[in-house]
Amino acid sequence: MAGRLVVALMAQSCTLATPPSAVAAISLKLSRAAILRPPPSYAPPSLSTRTITMNINSQEQQQDNLDGIFKQKRILRSKVRKALKAMDPTLRSHEDNAIQSIVLEAPWFRSCQRLCAYICCSALREVDTSNVLSAILQSPLKEGDARVRKKLYVPRVEDKNCHMRMLNISCIDDLVANSMNILEPAPIDADGNEREDVLQASDPVDLFLLPGLAFDRSGRRLGRGGGYYDTFLKNYQELAKTRNWKQPLLVALSYSVQILDEGVPVTPHDILVDALVSPAGVIPISPAALDRMRP
């Protein structure tokens, strides 16, 4: 016990109290060190970091805008489909005949030598083109007739990835019904030869007759959502530009209820048409149409 007490006393005697003046000096020294110490360095975001952030924000904004446009398109498609479904059959037949007569009598149609035209589908309530196709595919002209028979290409859907071709046909029997009961050309003709693809042709087409679900008077076209025509038209326009061909005239056929006063929503990938043909007549829109569709 006595030994423990001695050790404790020795420990206490070894602990020296720090004078108040020394404590103040130490505190002052630490304060000066804190003041003189340089602040943590601040590195502003690099230019590349700021650019990446701006690009991400821009892409998000663009995607939001596209989502809004796609929603508007869905709403408009539903509205126009209802209007077409409610259309009186007698009125529909009258407008079909009126539109086709306007096309067949138009100078820009009569003068064209090569064209692409759609084959109407009654289930989709598209403007009828049977009279126009029959006129193009009529029996050979009489000997000595100076007129040249038009070369016709019609669509064939290859897959569900917007892949569509335009193949040449020479008679209505070249058409067969696909899985959706829509007439289209077989890729091989009756003689076992591959049909000519318009994208592989050596000569340009003058005219496209196009379907659609809705249009406005600025040339904006609302399709059915598959993107087949927009993709094909873009490819053909690029081909024509590469080969220094005159761009074809893009003419859409439209019932009266399909031409809207409000603007049709479009994305940068949507192709505008040059003109509309309705039962009331031709509506030229683009400079090319105004030039080539003069009376």
Side-chain angles (χ1 to χ4, degrees):
M1 180 69 180
R4 292 179 183 175
L5 180 59
V6 171
V7 171
L9 291 172
M10 292 176 64
Q12 288 180 358
S13 63
C14 291
T15 304
L16 301 176
T18 304
S21 59
V23 172
I26 293 171
S27 299
L28 180 59
K29 183 177 182 180
L30 291 174
S31 300
R32 288 176 178 174
I35 295 172
L36 296 175
R37 184 186 304 124
S41 60
Y42 170 74
S46 64
L47 181 59
S48 59
T49 301
R50 283 181 288 176
T51 302
I52 291 172
T53 302
M54 292 175 63
N55 287 341
I56 292 174
N57 293 338
S58 177
Q59 290 172 4
E60 291 177 349
Q61 182 63 47
Q62 290 176 3
Q63 187 59 51
D64 290 343
N65 292 340
L66 286 175
D67 290 342
I69 292 173
F70 291 146
K71 182 178 180 180
Q72 293 175 31
K73 285 187 173 187
R74 287 193 296 270
I75 294 172
L76 191 55
R77 286 190 182 103
S78 178
K79 175 183 175 182
V80 177
R81 285 192 180 104
K82 290 178 181 178
L84 288 171
K85 187 176 181 180
M87 196 173 176
D88 182 83
T90 303
L91 176 61
R92 182 191 306 278
S93 178
H94 171 74
E95 293 202 1
D96 281 331
N97 292 333
I99 291 168
Q100 292 183 93
S101 295
I102 292 170
V103 172
L104 291 170
E105 295 170 6
W108 45 265
F109 172 80
R110 295 170 68 88
S111 62
C112 81
Q113 298 181 10
R114 292 167 294 275
L115 76 154
C116 294
Y118 72 95
I119 300 179
C120 67
C121 176
S122 58
L124 297 178
R125 297 181 174 88
E126 294 174 329
V127 173
D128 188 14
T129 54
S130 58
N131 293 345
V132 174
L133 299 180
S134 295
I136 297 170
L137 299 173
Q138 64 187 350
S139 56
L141 299 172
K142 296 180 180 179
E143 185 177 355
D145 196 323
R147 290 179 297 169
V148 177
R149 184 173 182 177
K150 303 181 190 302
K151 194 167 189 176
L152 174 65
Y153 300 87
V154 296
R156 174 183 172 83
V157 173
E158 296 294 345
D159 56 39
K160 295 182 180 180
N161 297 317
C162 304
H163 183 203
M164 181 178 74
R165 295 195 293 163
M166 289 278 184
L167 304 180
N168 175 236
I169 63 171
S170 56
C171 66
I172 205 70
D173 293 335
D174 290 341
L175 303 175
V176 294
N178 64 12
S179 59
M180 298 179 62
N181 203 34
I182 298 175
L183 292 176
E184 62 181 17
I188 306 298
D189 64 20
D191 297 325
N193 301 314
E194 287 191 11
R195 297 191 186 281
E196 184 180 52
D197 187 323
V198 73
L199 291 176
Q200 307 298 326
S202 56
D203 296 307
V205 296
D206 310 304
L207 173 68
F208 276 82
L209 295 180
L210 303 171
L213 195 56
F215 311 91
D216 65 23
R217 295 176 184 272
S218 297
R220 290 175 286 194
R221 170 186 173 273
L222 178 67
R224 297 180 183 274
Y228 289 95
Y229 276 93
D230 286 317
T231 300
F232 183 85
L233 291 171
K234 178 183 177 183
N235 291 337
Y236 192 86
Q237 289 177 336
E238 289 177 353
L239 174 68
K241 184 177 180 180
T242 300
R243 298 189 179 180
N244 292 319
W245 289 344
K246 178 185 286 187
Q247 291 292 342
L249 204 60
L250 307 182
V251 179
L253 309 186
S254 174
Y255 292 119
S256 299
V257 297
Q258 293 178 285
I259 301 178
L260 308 180
D261 291 331
E262 67 265 30
V264 170
V266 294
T267 70
H269 301 291
D270 293 328
I271 303 296
L272 305 185
V273 299
D274 294 304
L276 301 174
V277 179
S278 76
V282 179
I283 305 173
I285 298 169
S286 71
L290 291 168
D291 180 59
R292 294 162 68 176
M293 292 180 162
R294 290 174 181 170

